[in-house]
Every structure is written in C-alpha cells, then in structure tokens.
C-alpha cells in the first residue's frame, strides 16, 4: 500500500487519491463515499479506511474499500538547559545540577531520557544520583578540575510515538578561574543609613 508522510509541523497530511473506477451496463451510475475521508482531505497519522459504494439505475450495488496510511517521519525537537552552568569554586565538593528539558513534536507522545554524562576528564566517582535511560533531571557533579577546565556534557534523547529520535546536550563547566559572569545572589546594600529620633526616648523621656 502507498504511504504518505506528515505535512511539516502537522499530525497528518492532506492526501489526494484517485476515485474508484465504475463500470456498468447502465449509463446512470452513482458513486457514493460511505466511510473514511475524501480526496484532498486532511488524514491523521495512522491508517484510515475509505469505503465507496456504486449503485446503478437497476439498483445493482458494488462496494470497495482501501486504506490510506499516513506515517510520521518528522523527528521531535528537544532543548536542554542546565543550572548552574558553572561549578565554582572548584573545591572538590559534590554540587546539585538541575536540568530543564523542553520537547516539541507534530504528534503528541514524545518522551525523553538521559542518555549520557561525559567529560573531557576522568569523572570516575564524580557523578552521583544520575540514572541513565530514564528521564532524570536532578543529579550531582563534582566541582573538580585537573590541569585545566573540566566540562561535563549532559545528553538527552527524545523519541516520538513513531520512533523518530533527536538528541541534544548541555555543558556544565568547572573553570580554573572564577568566571566573569559568575555572581551570587544577594540583597543590595543601602546607599545611606539614617537614624530617626524615636519619641519618647525610653532612656530620657524629656527628649
């Protein structure tokens, strides 16, 4: 059977097909679609059965059916973001890392899993609480580097309902020097402090 692929960004495709051919000894024959969708209609992903009935002037009837198959061949989209992006200071301590994964696809049902955590340095014992092969978004990495910056590369794979896959990664860096854009959150200090007189003064009621 012929297959049709999804239109870009849509959960199906507009499909055109040839109508069934009718022949009869009678000149007056009517062709009626009794099920499914018509030619140039939007067909959803999957198999849609189309049925037609032909009836002539002498009430002779014949029916036919065929399948229209729409296949999703559009891979999902995935983005990966980590927080923090820097582990500083490099004090050899385990630090919590949280990952945000966003998924988009033309057909609902896309899932993602953590596929790997790799590095440009030996990280044996430096990754904790990470579950490969599941949708794990929270784990710990060691704030450590050896003779240069260390980069942890965290990779996820998205798989849609049709089995199409896409991978994306994000990096966490352990630098050798404090990054210029590395700031800790804190409350701003006041530019001036003014002490107002409290009346009455508990230590001197006359003031």
């Amino acid at each position: 059977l012929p297959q049709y692929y999804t239109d870009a960004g849509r959960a199906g495709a507009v499909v055109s097909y040839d109508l069934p051919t009718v022949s009869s000894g009678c000149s007056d024959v009517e062709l009626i679609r009794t099920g499914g969708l018509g030619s140039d209609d939007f067909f959803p992903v999957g198999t849609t059965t189309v049925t037609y009935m032909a009836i002539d002037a002498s009430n002779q009837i014949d029916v036919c059916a065929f399948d229209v198959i729409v296949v999703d061949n559009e891979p999902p989209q995935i983005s990966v973001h980590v927080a923090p992006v820097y582990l500083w200071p490099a004090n050899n301590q385990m630090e919590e890392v949280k990952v945000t994964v966003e998924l988009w696809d033309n057909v609902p049902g896309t899932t993602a899993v953590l596929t790997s955590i790799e590095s440009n340095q030996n990280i044996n014992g430096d990754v904790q609480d990470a579950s490969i092969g599941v949708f794990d978004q929270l784990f710990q990495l060691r704030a450590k580097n050896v003779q240069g910056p260390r980069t942890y590369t965290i990779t996820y794979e998205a798989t849609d309902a049709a089995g199409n896959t896409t991978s994306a990664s994000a990096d966490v860096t352990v630098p050798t020097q404090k990054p210029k854009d590395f700031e800790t959150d804190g409350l701003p200090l006041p530019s001036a402090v003014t002490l107002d007189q409290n009346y009455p003064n508990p230590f001197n009621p006359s003031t």
Side-chain angles (χ1 to χ4, degrees), residues 104-185:
W104 303 268
D105 196 28
N106 58 322
V107 179
T110 299
T111 59
V113 297
L114 173 65
T115 56
S116 66
I117 299 177
E118 300 176 331
S119 178
N120 60 332
Q121 298 179 357
N122 182 5
I123 55 173
N124 185 30
D126 294 343
V127 179
Q128 293 182 2
D129 302 328
S131 298
I132 303 299
V134 300
F135 190 49
D136 190 354
Q137 297 176 270
L138 191 65
F139 41 82
Q140 293 184 324
L141 303 177
R142 192 178 300 280
K144 175 184 177 182
N145 54 50
V146 180
Q147 297 180 348
R150 169 180 290 189
T151 300
Y152 294 94
T153 300
I154 299 121
T155 302
Y156 288 79
E157 182 177 75
T159 304
D160 68 14
N164 302 305
T165 61
T166 305
S167 294
S169 302
D171 291 339
V172 175
T173 302
V174 186
T176 56
Q177 296 181 347
K178 181 179 178 180
K180 293 181 180 180
D181 55 350
F182 183 88
E183 296 291 343
T184 57
D185 293 331

Side-chain angles (χ1 to χ4, degrees), residues 22 28-32 53-62:
V22 179
D28 188 10
V29 180
E30 184 178 6
L31 181 66
I32 304 170
M53 177 182 71
I55 181 170
D56 64 15
S58 59
N59 288 327
Q60 295 185 89
I61 296 175
D62 197 9

Side-chain angles (χ1 to χ4, degrees), residues 75-103:
Q77 300 179 56
I78 178 174
S79 69
V80 178
H81 305 278
V82 293
V85 294
Y86 296 113
L87 299 184
W88 182 262
N91 56 9
N92 205 37
Q93 299 299 307
M94 301 301 298
E95 301 291 344
E96 185 175 87
V97 174
K98 184 172 183 179
V99 185
T100 300
V101 179
E102 296 180 294
L103 303 172

Side-chain angles (χ1 to χ4, degrees), residues 16-97:
S16 299
Y17 58 79
D18 295 330
L19 296 178
T21 301
V22 179
S23 60
S24 172
C26 298
S27 59
D28 188 10
V29 180
E30 184 178 6
L31 181 66
I32 304 170
R33 177 166 52 83
T34 56
L37 298 169
S39 180
D40 296 325
D41 283 345
F42 181 81
F43 284 73
V45 168
T47 300
T48 301
T49 299
V50 181
T51 56
Y52 277 87
M53 177 182 71
I55 181 170
D56 64 15
S58 59
N59 288 327
Q60 295 185 89
I61 296 175
D62 197 9
V63 297
C64 73
F66 57 91
D67 290 335
V68 173
I69 302 173
V70 178
V71 176
D72 176 21
N73 68 334
E74 184 172 330
Q77 300 179 56
I78 178 174
S79 69
V80 178
H81 305 278
V82 293
V85 294
Y86 296 113
L87 299 184
W88 182 262
N91 56 9
N92 205 37
Q93 299 299 307
M94 301 301 298
E95 301 291 344
E96 185 175 87
V97 174

